[in-house]
Amino acid sequence: MTAANPNPYAAKPGDYLSNVSNFQLIDSTLREGEQFANSFFDTEKKIEIARALDDFGVDYIELTSPVASEQSKKDCEAICKLGLKAKILTHIRCHMDDARVAVETGVDGVDVVIGTSKFLRQYSHGKDMNYIAKSAVEVIEFVKSKGIEIRFSSEDSFRSDLVDLLNIYKTVDKIGVNRVGIADTVGCANPRQVYELVRTLKSVVSCDIECHFHNDTGCAIANAYTALEGGARLIDVSVLGIGERNGITPLGGLMARMIVAAPEYVKSKYKLHKIRDIENLVADAVEVNIPFNNPITGFCAFTHKAGIHAKAILANPSTYEILDPHDFGMKRYIHFANRLTGWNAIKARVDQLNLNLTDPQIKEVTAKIKKLGDVRALNIDDVDSIIKNFHTEVTTPQLQSARKNKQEDNDNDNDKDVPSLASVPAAKRAKPTV
Amino acid sequence: MTAANPNPYAAKPGDYLSNVSNFQLIDSTLREGEQFANSFFDTEKKIEIARALDDFGVDYIELTSPVASEQSKKDCEAICKLGLKAKILTHIRCHMDDARVAVETGVDGVDVVIGTSKFLRQYSHGKDMNYIAKSAVEVIEFVKSKGIEIRFSSEDSFRSDLVDLLNIYKTVDKIGVNRVGIADTVGCANPRQVYELVRTLKSVVSCDIECHFHNDTGCAIANAYTALEGGARLIDVSVLGIGERNGITPLGGLMARMIVAAPEYVKSKYKLHKIRDIENLVADAVEVNIPFNNPITGFCAFTHKAGIHAKAILANPSTYEILDPHDFGMKRYIHFANRLTGWNAIKARVDQLNLNLTDPQIKEVTAKIKKLGDVRALNIDDVDSIIKNFHTEVTTPQLQSARKNKQEDNDNDNDKDVPSLASVPAAKRAKPTV
């Protein structure tokens, strides 16, 4: 925020634990995403999605447990054989029955999870913390003995007892897990709470910290970002955030967040211009539309409408954009066909139409457009027709002399702000032609 | 997180500045929302939306500047005459021309904004901080002289110089504004940055602090929440978050966040069961679909799918829900027609069908359902057919003896966890009938 710090969104020197410029992605579209209401991925679709994620550059791909169903196991084995750059993980309950099947699938790592909140201990598996610790140690040592990565995660971490949590994490860290996981399974966590828990955990374990955030209360992206600030290293994402209920941290949304903080890291590591294709692939597969307000790929993510915004964007896009659409293979759009438009936006359109109008003329035609925009929704054809008619009027010799006085009046108008009908005295207003 | 604190999401005693349980909403659907690409609200629609927001209980309704267009002025006047409980605001540039028009519309308050970032100072209005301060003082004193509320906001606050910001806020606070506003106009801010700026500003001004967050990087809800923690009092929202680009903090999403932190305050103040109707009203008006993953009203916001989730939800919904769907007039749904299903979910369906099966029988039919779910997407009719066929088979006398041995085997199965095909030895598995 000061001149001494050229990028105010970068980690501050004080944030010495921050991994904002050194994070990894675990994509769980093929695990958490399978738990999305509409999901049914056949083998071919799973492979297509896995290849697309690998090409994008995710660090890990997490797959549904091989004990979930026969086909889940076969698909897991098939994806392990693809030879992707991304490491392949599968996600299992903290149970030897599951672990024995998982290690035979060919995965690079196993993600183990067990519920630690009083809710899950009472109503789900019914085990106490001693039992959980005992199972965890057995499963972890078994998986490690096979020479593959192991992550131990609590479930519903933010409603678990802090001392219980730290005890179990400390225990598994000593055995030598690759990662411990914090999971906001119900989507209740808020950013400062996340920061505190991650910082505290960071002081207890030496392994990496992975975080998994559900989006029930709309904080999944912010929580992921704040977890990285606190020292977490890995974030679970899925394409469009699909998962149980309304899902988890979305891959695209997190990229929007991270590129602001660590542009070089993000741009060099991930193929950002592939986000749109991957989102379309998954959206088609699960039969949903891309949300209208999706970060980056929502239809209006780079659309500027109010006259004052359009004016500044035309002068310098950074005025009203923190994301550069070109980084994502997208384009910005100046919405000029509406009553909030301004003469700078209309001037840009006049240029696109390759017409020649003076600034006062453009202000005059802008007033006409705003007048019609007050009556009904406009489309581009409406505006183009008004501009073209106006252009014909001012360039046809027999109509020119009648207009001359008006133009001279307009030239004296020294209002440098975006004009609006109300700020132009009534006498100067063009009569609407429609 | 400890037993001593019954609600771990409530403000902590240390957060003495927190307004998490004492916030107000400024709904800007009819101002920021008009800047959404698809918006065109005629007078009738604006009035319908204003009445719905008033009925819901928002504290303020913000309208487009009366100088934006002739009709904008008339609509502003019309809404002021409705006699709503909510206070009516309009939003203007920091300019006497705008202020003179605004105070004559009948509004309860005027929201003044001016760009303070170097980007906006250079490329938008081209004014320096002295000019900004001078204009601000003039406009504020004029609006105050009319006996109506006044808010002064910077624009693009997170890319403005901190000292410049604090100077101008201090100046306008001394004159006696009702509120100062922080605006993340480009959607670049992150929660900890928000917290710091709000806390700092809180130490400089005595008036209320209002915050406005764009959602370009997916943090608009979390930033709003964290701003309240830091001592902000008012949050700008719009229905579905509609606004410039991909919009601002959404009304519904913020309610999802706030009900977790301040359930009594939120439930007593706002008619939460109206959220769905208001969102549908606005979505229809601007011709968008409710995003599939929208908090609260997304089609799957309360859908539970994985067997282990379904099992626990059936025992106690709090296991996997931080939001109670009934608070919003919504219902939860257990998705059982898929390969990730478990026998507890199928048992619930068997009960709904009013059929009588033993637990081992339900485990057997669950295996059949998972088997078919491995081959293709299932719908409810598929599952019901399998259950009904199975029920006929086990209850028809001539078929019973052939099944007896199998059942006895299953009774010895002491796996208390959610069963899966893979965890049932192959010899015990029912042969698929389809």
Side-chain angles (χ1 to χ4, degrees):
Chain A
M1 214 174 293
T2 65
N5 188 348
N7 179 0
Y9 317 106
K12 294 180 189 172
D15 292 343
Y16 56 93
L17 292 176
S18 174
N19 277 317
V20 159
S21 301
N22 184 35
F23 66 92
Q24 294 192 312
L25 294 178
I26 297 179
D27 185 278
S28 191
T29 307
L30 297 176
R31 194 283 292 177
E32 179 72 50
E34 269 216 287
Q35 295 174 224
F36 172 60
N38 268 23
S39 290
F40 174 82
F41 301 127
D42 61 22
T43 309
E44 192 185 359
K45 190 57 69 181
K46 284 185 186 175
I47 289 174
E48 191 181 356
I49 292 169
R51 286 194 194 280
L53 290 167
D54 187 52
D55 181 45
F56 174 78
V58 301
D59 303 274
Y60 292 87
I61 293 174
E62 187 182 64
L63 306 177
T64 294
S65 169
V67 308
S69 73
E70 280 291 325
Q71 194 60 47
S72 299
K73 181 162 171 270
K74 288 180 192 161
D75 293 344
C76 183
E77 290 163 349
I79 290 170
C80 289
K81 290 195 185 104
L82 295 177
L84 302 179
K85 294 185 298 291
K87 289 185 183 173
I88 308 299
L89 305 171
T90 190
H91 180 267
I92 62 167
R93 293 171 298 181
C94 188
H95 200 293
M96 282 300 291
D97 289 352
D98 291 14
R100 283 191 201 96
V101 180
V103 297
E104 299 302 324
T105 55
V107 291
D108 301 297
V110 173
D111 286 347
V112 169
V113 67
I114 191 161
T116 41
S117 72
K118 69 173 168 27
F119 293 103
L120 292 174
R121 281 157 55 192
Q122 182 174 355
Y123 296 104
S124 179
H125 53 69
K127 316 297 190 199
D128 65 14
M129 289 306 294
N130 284 335
Y131 181 93
I132 290 172
K134 199 164 153 283
S135 309
V137 172
E138 188 184 8
V139 168
I140 292 164
E141 287 185 335
F142 172 72
V143 173
K144 274 174 63 78
S145 75
K146 301 292 177 178
I148 59 182
E149 286 191 18
I150 176 83
R151 178 215 71 185
F152 173 85
S153 182
S154 62
E155 197 182 359
D156 202 1
S157 316
F158 291 88
R159 296 194 301 178
S160 299
D161 181 85
L162 180 61
V163 179
D164 283 350
L165 273 189
L166 297 180
N167 264 322
I168 186 89
Y169 285 132
K170 191 173 172 183
T171 303
V172 301
D173 183 51
K174 271 191 192 154
I175 311 174
V177 294
N178 299 81
R179 307 182 294 283
V180 289
I182 292 174
D184 180 19
T185 308
V186 299
C188 66
N190 66 62
R192 290 175 63 234
Q193 209 176 14
V194 168
Y195 188 79
E196 282 181 32
L197 181 56
V198 172
R199 284 293 285 255
T200 303
L201 180 54
K202 192 80 185 164
S203 71
V204 169
V205 300
S206 57
C207 63
D208 280 339
I209 298 173
E210 169 184 343
C211 288
H212 181 91
F213 295 107
H214 276 263
N215 206 22
D216 299 74
T217 64
C219 294
I221 295 172
N223 283 341
Y225 179 79
T226 312
L228 294 175
E229 285 189 315
R233 176 92 200 283
L234 304 101
I235 300 294
D236 289 4
V237 295
S238 71
V239 178
L240 293 169
I242 61 168
E244 285 280 352
R245 307 184 308 282
N246 77 333
I248 64 167
T249 307
L251 172 65
L254 186 63
M255 290 298 93
R257 177 69 257 165
M258 299 315 300
I259 198 176
V260 172
E264 296 317 315
Y265 182 77
V266 169
K267 285 194 260 189
S268 66
K269 193 168 172 199
Y270 302 110
K271 289 189 186 167
L272 301 177
H273 58 287
K274 297 280 189 181
I275 289 175
R276 180 165 45 174
D277 290 345
I278 296 175
E279 289 188 349
N280 286 337
L281 171 65
V282 172
D284 287 349
V286 301
E287 298 179 335
V288 298
N289 293 318
I290 306 292
F292 77 88
N293 53 6
N294 209 44
I296 300 170
T297 58
F299 85 100
C300 52
F302 299 105
T303 298
H304 304 273
K305 183 167 170 184
I308 201 166
H309 285 223
K311 173 189 173 187
I313 278 283
L314 288 163
N316 179 349
S318 291
T319 47
Y320 284 102
E321 273 176 3
I322 193 68
L323 303 176
D324 181 346
H326 302 103
D327 283 338
F328 306 95
M330 309 288 287
K331 286 181 182 163
R332 79 175 52 86
Y333 177 66
I334 309 289
H335 192 306
F336 54 86
N338 65 81
R339 66 174 148 206
L340 305 178
T341 197
W343 74 274
N344 292 278
I346 299 302
K347 184 178 182 177
R349 184 62 184 165
V350 168
D351 289 346
Q352 283 177 332
L353 293 172
N354 204 22
L355 299 177
N356 196 12
L357 293 174
T358 64
D359 284 358
Q361 286 170 340
I362 288 167
K363 288 180 185 179
E364 196 178 336
V365 76
T366 300
K368 285 177 193 275
I369 292 162
K370 289 171 78 76
K371 192 96 183 170
L372 183 60
D374 249 355
V375 180
R376 63 171 172 84
L378 303 179
N379 59 36
I380 295 174
D381 288 340
D382 293 328
V383 174
D384 287 356
S385 295
I386 296 172
I387 293 173
K388 286 173 187 165
N389 288 344
F390 181 86
H391 184 262
T392 306
E393 202 182 330
V394 297
T395 54
T396 305
Q398 58 268 41
L399 295 171
Q400 274 179 350
S401 62
R403 299 192 54 81
K404 201 159 182 295
N405 292 335
K406 268 188 198 167
Q407 281 184 34
E408 279 167 359
D409 276 0
N410 282 337
D411 287 344
N412 293 330
D413 179 3
N414 57 8
D415 178 7
K416 296 291 183 208
D417 280 341
V418 183
S420 63
L421 258 187
S423 66
V424 181
K428 290 188 187 173
R429 277 184 214 148
K431 296 286 179 295
T433 55
V434 282
Chain B
M1 211 174 291
T2 66
N5 188 348
N7 179 359
Y9 317 106
K12 294 180 188 172
D15 290 343
Y16 56 92
L17 292 177
S18 173
N19 278 317
V20 159
S21 300
N22 184 35
F23 65 92
Q24 295 192 312
L25 294 178
I26 297 178
D27 185 277
S28 191
T29 307
L30 297 176
R31 195 283 292 175
E32 180 71 49
E34 269 216 287
Q35 294 175 224
F36 172 59
N38 267 24
S39 291
F40 174 81
F41 301 127
D42 62 22
T43 309
E44 193 185 359
K45 190 57 70 181
K46 284 186 185 174
I47 289 175
E48 191 181 355
I49 292 170
R51 286 194 193 280
L53 290 166
D54 188 51
D55 181 45
F56 173 79
V58 300
D59 303 275
Y60 292 87
I61 293 173
E62 187 182 65
L63 306 177
T64 294
S65 169
V67 307
S69 73
E70 279 293 323
Q71 193 59 47
S72 299
K73 181 161 171 269
K74 289 179 191 163
D75 293 343
C76 183
E77 290 164 348
I79 291 171
C80 288
K81 290 196 184 105
L82 295 176
L84 302 179
K85 294 184 298 291
K87 289 186 185 173
I88 308 300
L89 305 170
T90 190
H91 179 266
I92 61 167
R93 293 170 297 181
C94 188
H95 200 293
M96 282 302 289
D97 289 351
D98 292 13
R100 283 190 200 98
V101 180
V103 298
E104 299 302 324
T105 55
V107 292
D108 300 297
V110 173
D111 286 347
V112 169
V113 67
I114 191 161
T116 41
S117 72
K118 68 173 169 22
F119 293 102
L120 292 174
R121 281 156 57 192
Q122 182 174 355
Y123 296 103
S124 179
H125 52 70
K127 316 296 190 202
D128 66 16
M129 289 306 294
N130 284 336
Y131 180 93
I132 290 173
K134 199 164 152 284
S135 310
V137 171
E138 185 184 10
V139 168
I140 292 164
E141 288 186 333
F142 171 72
V143 174
K144 273 174 66 76
S145 77
K146 301 292 177 178
I148 59 182
E149 287 191 17
I150 176 82
R151 178 214 70 185
F152 174 84
S153 182
S154 63
E155 199 182 356
D156 201 3
S157 315
F158 292 88
R159 296 194 300 177
S160 299
D161 181 84
L162 180 61
V163 179
D164 283 350
L165 273 188
L166 297 180
N167 265 322
I168 185 92
Y169 285 133
K170 191 173 174 185
T171 302
V172 300
D173 183 51
K174 271 191 190 154
I175 311 175
V177 293
N178 298 81
R179 307 183 295 283
V180 289
I182 291 174
D184 181 20
T185 308
V186 298
C188 66
N190 66 61
R192 291 175 63 236
Q193 208 177 13
V194 168
Y195 188 79
E196 282 180 33
L197 182 56
V198 172
R199 284 295 284 256
T200 304
L201 181 54
K202 191 82 184 163
S203 72
V204 169
V205 299
S206 57
C207 63
D208 281 339
I209 297 173
E210 170 184 342
C211 287
H212 181 91
F213 295 107
H214 276 263
N215 206 23
D216 300 74
T217 64
C219 294
I221 295 172
N223 284 341
Y225 179 80
T226 312
L228 294 175
E229 286 190 314
R233 176 92 200 282
L234 304 101
I235 300 294
D236 289 4
V237 295
S238 70
V239 178
L240 293 169
I242 60 169
E244 285 280 351
R245 306 185 308 282
N246 78 334
I248 64 167
T249 307
L251 172 66
L254 186 63
M255 290 298 93
R257 176 70 257 165
M258 300 315 300
I259 197 175
V260 172
E264 297 316 314
Y265 182 78
V266 169
K267 285 195 261 188
S268 66
K269 192 168 173 201
Y270 301 110
K271 288 189 187 167
L272 301 177
H273 58 286
K274 298 279 189 182
I275 290 175
R276 179 164 47 172
D277 291 344
I278 296 174
E279 288 188 350
N280 285 338
L281 170 65
V282 172
D284 287 351
V286 301
E287 298 179 333
V288 298
N289 293 318
I290 305 292
F292 78 89
N293 54 5
N294 208 44
I296 301 171
T297 58
F299 85 99
C300 53
F302 299 105
T303 298
H304 305 273
K305 184 166 170 184
I308 201 166
H309 285 223
K311 173 189 174 188
I313 279 282
L314 287 163
N316 178 349
S318 292
T319 48
Y320 284 102
E321 273 176 4
I322 194 66
L323 303 176
D324 182 346
H326 302 102
D327 284 337
F328 306 95
M330 308 290 285
K331 287 181 180 162
R332 79 175 52 85
Y333 176 67
I334 309 289
H335 192 307
F336 55 85
N338 65 81
R339 66 175 148 205
L340 304 179
T341 198
W343 75 274
N344 292 276
I346 299 302
K347 184 177 183 179
R349 184 62 184 166
V350 169
D351 289 345
Q352 283 177 331
L353 294 172
N354 204 23
L355 299 177
N356 196 12
L357 292 174
T358 64
D359 284 358
Q361 286 170 339
I362 289 167
K363 288 181 186 180
E364 197 178 336
V365 75
T366 300
K368 285 177 192 276
I369 292 162
K370 289 169 77 78
K371 192 95 182 170
L372 184 60
D374 250 354
V375 180
R376 63 172 172 82
L378 302 180
N379 59 36
I380 294 174
D381 289 340
D382 293 328
V383 173
D384 287 356
S385 296
I386 296 173
I387 292 173
K388 286 173 188 165
N389 288 344
F390 182 84
H391 183 261
T392 306
E393 202 183 329
V394 297
T395 55
T396 304
Q398 58 268 39
L399 295 172
Q400 275 180 347
S401 61
R403 300 190 54 81
K404 202 160 181 296
N405 293 334
K406 266 188 200 168
Q407 281 185 33
E408 279 168 359
D409 277 1
N410 281 340
D411 287 344
N412 294 331
D413 179 1
N414 59 8
D415 179 5
K416 297 290 182 208
D417 278 341
V418 183
S420 64
L421 257 186
S423 64
V424 180
K428 289 188 188 174
R429 277 184 213 150
K431 297 285 181 296
T433 56
V434 282

